[in-house]
Amino acid sequence: EDQVTQSPEALRLQEGESSSLNCSYTVSGLRGLFWYRQDPGKGPEFLFTLYSAGEEKEKERLKATLTKKESFLHITAPKPEDSATYLCAVQAGDKLVFGAGTILRVKS
Amino acid sequence: DTGVSQNPRHKITKRGQNVTFRCDPISEHNRLYWYRQTLGQGPEFLTYFQNEAQLEKSRLLSDRFSAERPKGSFSTLEIQRTEQGDSAMYLCASSPHGDTQYFGPGTRLTVL
């Protein structure tokens, strides 16, 4: 069964304190791994798509990497506005299978 | 490109009532998806359209749920005889080629 597990469930950082979020997955034939950001009461906002092991994507303070079993979202020198829930998903057929997310809080 | 839009944004209803939600995808996106999200969980797939054809339905989609996309543009999701367990955020997404999905703001349903 296709499955996505994210850790930690919640993460508190001080402004400027870099860290990483983990996404472990099992899927038969990875067609794509996606990272989204979700603010409270809003829909997920697309961040990155990764297609193959070794691939990396960057956007501002965020960098996503992919191996054959997991993906990491690295956050460098975070700011309070980076506070959100970060969701990881894998494409299973025509649908996305999501993890439960990591709630990130960045304090100034 | 104005993004995916959903209406209404919030809906409060009494148990047993029927509700209908609308989704307008990004123009020229031929794929449209419905997901449901409960508190503390990631979105769960409900159903998917390519143009006007409904190609896949999750077992989560009981016979009280029906979705349509009559002209291959906007879509509606109807829930009949709502139950308290139907309370959730209902999310719509669209995709041009079946890979990256772009989500709307969601419709939050509360069943009293």
Side-chain angles (χ1 to χ4, degrees):
Chain A
E1 182 182 348
D2 304 314
Q3 195 167 5
V4 176
T5 303
Q6 292 188 246
S7 62
E9 292 183 7
L11 182 62
R12 291 189 172 207
L13 299 174
Q14 287 295 125
E15 184 173 3
E17 179 186 4
S18 301
S19 188
S20 297
L21 313 182
N22 177 264
C23 170
S24 299
Y25 64 90
T26 54
V27 63
S28 50
L30 180 68
R31 291 175 52 190
L33 184 140
F34 304 84
W35 282 97
Y36 290 85
R37 169 193 171 126
Q38 187 172 31
D39 293 303
K42 297 188 177 181
E45 175 189 347
F46 170 71
L47 293 174
F48 303 109
T49 306
L50 301 167
Y51 292 105
S52 57
E55 189 174 359
E56 299 181 351
K57 294 271 180 76
E58 284 189 69
K59 179 181 179 180
E60 297 181 351
R61 295 176 293 281
L62 301 177
K63 178 180 177 180
T65 61
L66 181 65
T67 72
K68 289 185 178 180
K69 295 183 178 180
E70 56 191 351
S71 176
F72 291 93
L73 184 66
H74 306 279
I75 303 176
T76 301
K79 299 182 178 181
E81 53 262 42
D82 294 322
S83 296
T85 296
Y86 290 85
L87 295 166
C88 172
V90 294
Q91 186 166 1
D94 293 306
K95 65 180 181 288
L96 296 180
V97 175
F98 282 85
T102 293
I103 302 172
L104 175 66
R105 291 289 176 260
V106 182
K107 295 185 70 175
S108 58
Chain B
D1 181 354
T2 58
V4 178
S5 62
Q6 293 187 245
N7 288 288
R9 294 293 313 280
H10 304 275
K11 179 70 176 178
I12 300 174
T13 191
K14 292 182 179 179
R15 188 177 53 187
Q17 298 294 305
N18 298 343
V19 294
T20 300
F21 310 141
R22 175 176 170 131
C23 170
D24 288 88
I26 295 170
S27 59
E28 300 183 356
H29 281 194
N30 63 1
R31 290 169 169 83
L32 187 149
Y33 309 80
W34 286 97
Y35 291 81
R36 180 172 69 186
Q37 185 177 26
T38 54
L39 196 63
Q41 300 299 316
E44 293 178 291
F45 172 78
L46 293 178
T47 190
Y48 146 64
F49 291 86
Q50 183 168 332
N51 298 313
E52 65 274 11
Q54 188 173 17
L55 297 185
E56 187 174 350
K57 292 194 291 186
S58 163
R59 62 181 182 276
L60 293 175
L61 212 66
S62 75
D63 55 6
R64 296 186 297 106
F65 288 69
S66 62
E68 294 183 342
R69 194 182 183 197
K71 298 182 180 179
S73 57
F74 73 91
S75 175
T76 58
L77 178 68
E78 181 183 15
I79 308 174
Q80 296 182 327
R81 305 181 302 282
T82 53
E83 302 173 356
Q84 288 186 327
D86 297 331
S87 295
M89 174 79 89
Y90 289 84
L91 293 163
C92 176
S94 69
S95 174
H97 305 298
D99 47 14
T100 301
Q101 297 181 21
Y102 299 90
F103 283 82
T107 294
R108 177 160 298 283
L109 173 66
T110 302
V111 181
L112 301 177

